[in-house]
Amino acid sequence: MSAAVMNWINKQKERRTTTTSQGNNNTTSIGVTMTAYVNKVGQDGYVTILIDGRGEKKHGLYMYTKLTLLGINNNGDRVRLRVEDGEWKGLMGSMMIKGGADTYLDLTPPDNIIPTIKVKYGKFVSGWYSKPRDEKIDQQFATLTVGNISVQVTLNSDWTPGSGRTPLPVGTYEIATPDGAHPPGQTNFYKVGGVPVKNFNIWFPILPKSSERFIHIGHLSHGCITITDYDKYPQIHDYLIKHRGIGKNGDTIVATLQVDE
């Protein structure tokens, strides 16, 4: 629990003598705003908020998302906020205080540096058996090195003629912040200790996004960098998500990637 965030919330409750209506129980107390960051997430890699005008649909925020806390609602059970980066940048919304802001928000920002991670091509293996998928798959393996962690990855599993799926070519790329657009059923069956791998639903896009390539966990790749040693994904996720920088085309990125034969 963040003492600083909860102290701010408690002061907001005390000073709620003047309010401005936002509609539908979204009344915001007037007072000094506060900058906070997502410093803890759920098993899938996200903490959820409601976005104004989108009803009760929950929207995910990943680690180190920057927020401006604006006040609390009339009921005193939700903190009003504005998202300052990521997929929902600029949008207003709210988060539950109990089991939400009191647990997942704090003051630690990401590091404003851009590390370099590396992929080195390995062997092509025909008929590699995936236990979670219970199938044999032809894999172009490689090694991904992130900081001091090295893991096996597959660069392609789809060799259907005309599919257009190919392993990521040798070269230099940029890795963007997560895009949050993937059904959890694609990765939530990859388990360690009987539960889905921590941060299983976080996918890092490899730019440009039009290429539809990502870094993610699993045993199936359609041209992505798919981490087959997924038990090590929590450490890889934590390393990547901690960094922020601006790429050559103005995108927010977490790393650069060097791919070698």
Side-chain angles (χ1 to χ4, degrees), residues 151-222:
V151 294
Q152 178 179 265
V153 299
T154 175
L155 301 182
N156 195 44
S157 315
D158 184 356
W159 309 97
T160 305
S163 70
R165 306 294 188 179
T166 60
L168 188 65
V170 170
T172 302
Y173 303 85
E174 293 178 335
I175 308 301
T177 50
D179 66 353
H182 305 274
Q186 291 183 322
T187 50
N188 64 5
F189 59 92
Y190 295 104
K191 299 181 178 182
V192 174
V195 298
V197 179
K198 178 71 173 172
N199 310 307
F200 67 85
N201 206 30
I202 295 289
W203 296 45
F204 293 94
I206 302 171
L207 298 178
K209 290 186 178 181
S210 59
S211 68
E212 296 186 337
R213 298 181 192 263
F214 303 86
I215 296 177
H216 65 90
I217 69 164
H219 286 172
L220 195 66
S221 168
H222 296 288

Side-chain angles (χ1 to χ4, degrees), residues 12 91 99 107 112 148 226 239:
Q12 289 292 307
L91 298 182
L107 306 184
N112 291 316
N148 60 2
T226 304
Y239 182 97

Side-chain angles (χ1 to χ4, degrees), residues 2 35-39 63-65 105-111 242:
S2 168
T35 297
Y37 298 86
V38 175
N39 280 173
M63 280 287 287
Y64 301 108
T65 298
L105 303 186
D106 212 326
L107 306 184
T108 303
D111 294 334
K242 179 64 172 157

